[in-house]
Amino acid sequence: MTDAAELPQAPEEARAVFGELFPEAVRYAELLADAGVKRGLIGPREVPRLWERHLLNCAVLSEVVPEGVTVCDVGSGAGLPGIPLALVRPDLKITLLEPLLRRTNFLQEVVELLGLDHVTVVRGRAEEVLGTLQPVHVVTARAVAPLDRLAGWGVPLLRPYGEMLALKGDTAEEEINGAKAALSKLGVLEAEVLHVGEGVVDPLATVVRVVVGESPGGVRFAAKKAKAARTGRTRRRR
């Protein structure tokens, strides 16, 4: 078992990236290294590289997130990339979506401890909140699933002309090529690979950006969303 004492000192890049909320970023790193490991949310071997591989790698995603939009972090887990994104972008309204109770408990504790008033924690799977969660401008994800499956969960949560930003690895281009048919059925208009974090992380963080048209999720999901919305209104009237 590891603890927060094994967490390396924050690199100078972290001070520049997190700015005024750098102390909160340090506190989050300490929570991940201690409670995060003890609760099985992050592996002990990840602690020495928490800053470069996790916090900074996620924070630089902010470079491609538009200003003042709503964001849903699907399969948020220990809060990556949602929490680092929230720390560098107070202009965003972020929902951390996670199905497992022990993880949502941790996320809620982190949000309260760090005073992240613009962040909401929701327990559930993407397919379960469809029609009840307000559609968002941007969906984020990291290490959740292959692109075709991830898009099936994340794209239907988007507003028309919204985008999904998924942190991926070296196989990002291959994933896009392999998921073209699935993406087309989901109403995706464009998919590309972006590299972010120049001067902050090495190697650069790889992001798959998926842009949807006027029907996120396609025809099938439009019907599901409409049905879920009707069910929700009926329950509220009772």
Side-chain angles (χ1 to χ4, degrees):
M1 187 66 71
T2 187
D3 56 40
E6 295 178 38
L7 180 69
Q9 187 174 358
E12 282 304 310
E13 292 86 351
R15 292 181 180 274
V17 169
F18 291 105
E20 291 182 1
L21 291 185
F22 173 70
E24 283 77 7
V26 171
R27 182 66 182 127
Y28 176 51
E30 291 170 348
L31 289 166
L32 285 175
D34 189 358
V37 172
K38 290 174 181 174
R39 298 189 197 180
L41 303 182
I42 196 163
R45 292 181 181 177
E46 296 302 310
V47 173
R49 51 185 185 177
L50 264 179
W51 283 105
E52 289 83 358
R53 184 180 173 86
H54 297 286
L55 273 77
L56 287 174
N57 187 265
C58 289
V60 296
L61 182 64
S62 66
E63 294 177 18
V64 289
V65 178
E67 288 187 21
V69 299
T70 52
V71 178
C72 181
D73 189 31
V74 173
S76 196
L80 301 164
I83 297 292
L85 186 60
L87 287 169
V88 297
R89 294 290 300 276
D91 61 299
L92 304 175
K93 188 174 179 60
I94 300 176
T95 298
L96 306 179
L97 182 63
E98 169 56 48
L100 294 184
L101 181 61
R102 62 188 172 89
R103 292 177 181 171
T104 53
N105 285 342
F106 175 78
L107 292 172
Q108 192 60 53
E109 290 167 20
V110 170
V111 167
E112 291 173 6
L113 280 167
L114 302 185
L116 299 176
D117 297 335
H118 58 305
V119 178
T120 303
V121 179
V122 173
R123 185 185 175 199
R125 300 182 186 279
E127 57 269 35
E128 294 170 347
V129 301
L130 196 64
T132 59
L133 193 69
Q134 198 70 19
V136 296
H137 297 92
V138 176
V139 163
T140 59
R142 181 179 189 245
V144 174
L147 184 59
D148 54 351
R149 270 196 289 149
L150 176 60
W153 300 329
V155 166
L157 300 177
L158 290 169
R159 291 168 51 132
Y161 307 103
E163 58 191 87
M164 185 176 75
L165 300 170
L167 281 159
K168 288 288 184 178
D170 297 337
T171 61
E173 288 281 5
E174 294 172 32
E175 285 199 50
I176 288 178
N177 290 332
K180 280 183 177 177
L183 294 177
S184 179
K185 288 180 181 178
L186 289 167
V188 171
L189 301 180
E190 179 187 351
E192 61 179 335
V193 175
L194 307 174
H195 297 285
V196 296
E198 184 75 45
V200 179
V201 290
D202 185 18
L204 298 178
T206 300
V207 180
V208 169
R209 177 174 178 258
V210 169
V211 182
V212 300
E214 61 182 24
S215 299
V219 176
R220 185 164 60 92
F221 283 98
K224 283 183 69 174
K225 280 190 273 193
K227 182 180 179 182
R230 286 196 301 272
T231 303
R233 286 195 297 270
T234 302
R235 285 174 181 165
R236 285 194 293 271
R237 283 198 295 266
R238 286 176 182 173

